[in-house]
Amino acid sequence: MNLYIFNPENDLALAFGGINYTPPPAAQRIARELALLPLWYAREGEETTICSAEPVPDDFRHSLEPLGLAVSTVAFKQIGELPFDRIEVWGWNLALAHRLHQAGVDNRLLPSPEQCNHLRRLAHRRLATEAGRYLASHIDYPMPPLPVELHTPDEVQAFTEQSDRKVLKAPWSGSGRGLYWNLYGYDTSLAQWSNGVLQKQGVLMGEPFYEKERDWAMEFYSDGTRVTFAGYSSFLTDNHGAYKENRLTTDHRLHKELSAAVGPHIVTAVREALASFFTERVAPVYTGYLGVDMMTYLAPDGTTRLHPFVEINLRMNMGVVARRIADRFVAPGCEGHYRIDYFPRPGTLYRDHLERLHQHPARIVDGRFAGGYFALTPVLPDSQYRACIEFDAR
């Protein structure tokens, strides 16, 4: 039996670095309300239990039946009482491993403190710089400049006062968080933000601003020995770079669209080179999924180019979730969107949920979605977060 834990605060825990990390209230809420998300990416055909503090509503259980799914849950405090064979988490960090150890989980199922610290070092944005350097040495293609490491306020000021626009990134952050879009030079707001990151994390990564055309990702899987390609991802972000949604379509279509934008030989070369890089650099110490966020952007000469090392997520990620849903649960010929919604006012999300259920109920044919709207996690009257899929009306 396998245990799945959705811990979306992983990047914040990595930034903290210690065993006594307490997620902020918003992170605790999203973890609680989307706790059942692993249901959609768990390995098919295996006995699976999901860690959840809340009972599963009957209407949600019934909604799963046409898909051939059932859900089994366990509270965190009871984890140590069950004989699990494997523990699958959103991402490993020292604090989570420590909590699981205290809960009575067999240490053989947990990474050691040394392994956690090694993974933390690998999860630093510096890994994207290494990947960029590797790609530049193996592929004949005009790669973007490598990120610059900034260690002091003076270095940050000198970098951001250059004539072109810049983006600053906290070293342990992901999914569009920990970014500062520097469009106006070094001002009080930037100084306060950058000084805070430097005090907590010791360094900032500085990069040029790109005229982005579209967000992409390549997903990979490490079995502990070798890293292999696991699929493409096409996603949307808001104006601040925060994740909004993924497309649900075939891997073949995404490959075709990306190849049309930058050339099939470049897509293949990047995919193969990254798999080789991760096999050397990551596989010896990490088992699980990882994703490489990319973008197509408009170069100064007017051509569309690929930035193939925007961000590396050394953990499960929304692109893999979307890929698994599209491959396993979407009917042939159908395309839709997978998204995470946030409604700050309690009650608003529940009303939206009921309205969508009424206007666009899910159509499920032979255990696969063929249209409509479906909530992937329970939506209650006081919910603020939702994972859902929706298909355009036909």
Side-chain angles (χ1 to χ4, degrees):
M1 181 167 56
N2 303 324
L3 173 68
Y4 281 79
I5 300 175
F6 177 58
N7 58 309
E9 76 282 357
N10 180 67
D11 295 331
L12 298 174
L14 289 174
F16 180 80
I19 62 174
N20 296 316
Y21 172 72
T22 300
Q28 293 183 42
R29 182 160 195 141
I30 191 173
R32 182 175 69 253
E33 295 190 354
L34 303 187
L36 300 187
L37 192 62
L39 177 68
W40 303 99
Y41 59 83
R43 289 180 175 86
E44 189 174 2
E46 295 183 349
E47 186 179 359
T48 295
T49 298
I50 298 174
C51 180
S52 176
E54 306 293 336
V56 181
D58 289 339
D59 61 342
F60 183 76
R61 288 187 184 275
H62 294 326
S63 74
L64 301 175
E65 292 173 358
L67 298 160
L69 292 177
V71 58
S72 172
T73 63
V74 61
F76 194 95
K77 61 183 180 181
Q78 297 172 318
I79 287 175
E81 302 172 9
L82 299 177
F84 293 110
D85 301 309
R86 186 170 64 242
I87 297 179
E88 303 274 1
V89 302
W90 190 257
W92 280 115
N93 59 76
L94 195 61
L96 177 59
H98 179 69
R99 285 185 64 212
L100 288 168
H101 170 72
Q102 289 187 315
V105 173
D106 191 326
N107 283 336
R108 291 174 294 182
L109 302 178
L110 304 175
S112 67
E114 293 75 21
Q115 288 174 306
C116 287
N117 288 328
H118 196 161
L119 287 175
R120 181 177 186 266
R121 290 191 293 271
L122 276 179
H124 193 290
R125 286 190 187 272
R126 195 174 288 124
L127 185 64
T129 304
E130 293 183 35
R133 188 176 294 113
Y134 185 93
L135 291 173
S137 66
H138 287 77
I139 302 174
D140 183 16
Y141 186 72
M143 294 289 173
L146 296 176
V148 176
E149 293 194 16
L150 308 168
H151 297 88
T152 67
D154 288 343
E155 290 179 358
V156 173
Q157 181 172 0
F159 180 78
T160 55
E161 287 185 341
Q162 298 172 18
S163 58
D164 53 337
R165 294 176 289 177
K166 305 292 185 182
V167 181
L168 300 180
K169 299 181 178 181
W172 285 286
S173 61
S175 301
R177 299 180 182 88
L179 306 185
Y180 195 101
W181 303 86
N182 176 238
L183 308 179
Y184 311 107
Y186 192 78
D187 56 16
T188 301
S189 176
L190 172 56
Q192 292 176 341
W193 180 84
S194 60
N195 288 344
V197 175
L198 289 176
Q199 290 173 5
K200 293 178 180 178
Q201 301 192 32
V203 67
L204 275 165
M205 311 300 287
E207 302 177 15
F209 173 86
Y210 296 94
E211 296 290 346
K212 182 175 69 176
E213 294 184 338
R214 192 164 161 187
D215 288 303
W216 294 91
M218 291 186 186
E219 314 297 346
F220 296 87
Y221 182 78
S222 171
D223 65 5
T225 301
R226 181 168 172 260
V227 172
T228 54
F229 179 68
Y232 295 98
S233 171
S234 173
F235 62 100
L236 295 177
T237 58
D238 63 19
N239 293 333
H240 302 286
Y243 172 81
K244 290 181 63 178
E245 67 177 43
N246 268 87
R247 287 175 62 196
L248 295 176
T249 188
T250 64
D251 211 47
H252 174 75
R253 183 180 181 105
L254 293 181
H255 171 77
K256 185 177 180 179
E257 292 178 4
L258 181 56
S259 297
V262 299
H265 60 293
I266 295 302
V267 175
T268 300
V270 166
R271 185 183 69 224
E272 294 178 351
L274 284 173
S276 297
F277 169 74
F278 290 132
T279 293
E280 295 176 13
R281 191 73 177 86
V282 172
V285 294
Y286 176 72
T287 299
Y289 285 98
L290 62 147
V292 185
D293 288 353
M294 305 178 177
M295 74 168 83
T296 50
Y297 68 98
L298 187 65
D301 63 2
T303 61
T304 295
R305 292 183 188 169
L306 179 66
H307 187 329
F309 55 93
V310 173
E311 179 173 300
I312 296 175
N313 296 306
L314 198 63
R315 52 168 170 74
M316 175 61 74
N317 60 80
M318 295 301 177
V320 175
V321 178
R323 181 76 271 131
R324 298 293 291 272
I325 292 173
D327 292 343
R328 183 180 172 189
F329 295 107
V330 175
C334 295
E335 294 193 11
H337 302 272
Y338 159 74
R339 67 176 185 268
I340 304 296
D341 293 327
Y342 169 64
F343 287 66
R345 295 180 61 184
T348 309
L349 172 55
Y350 188 64
R351 289 192 295 272
D352 180 86
H353 170 66
L354 294 179
E355 182 178 337
R356 291 178 189 276
L357 281 177
H358 176 71
Q359 295 182 350
H360 309 286
R363 289 192 296 112
I364 300 174
V365 179
D366 296 329
R368 289 176 175 259
F369 295 108
Y373 156 85
F374 190 88
L376 301 171
T377 51
V379 179
L380 304 176
D382 63 343
S383 295
Q384 291 181 278
Y385 292 94
R386 166 181 61 187
C388 68
I389 62 174
E390 196 157 15
F391 297 83
D392 298 331
R394 295 177 127 186

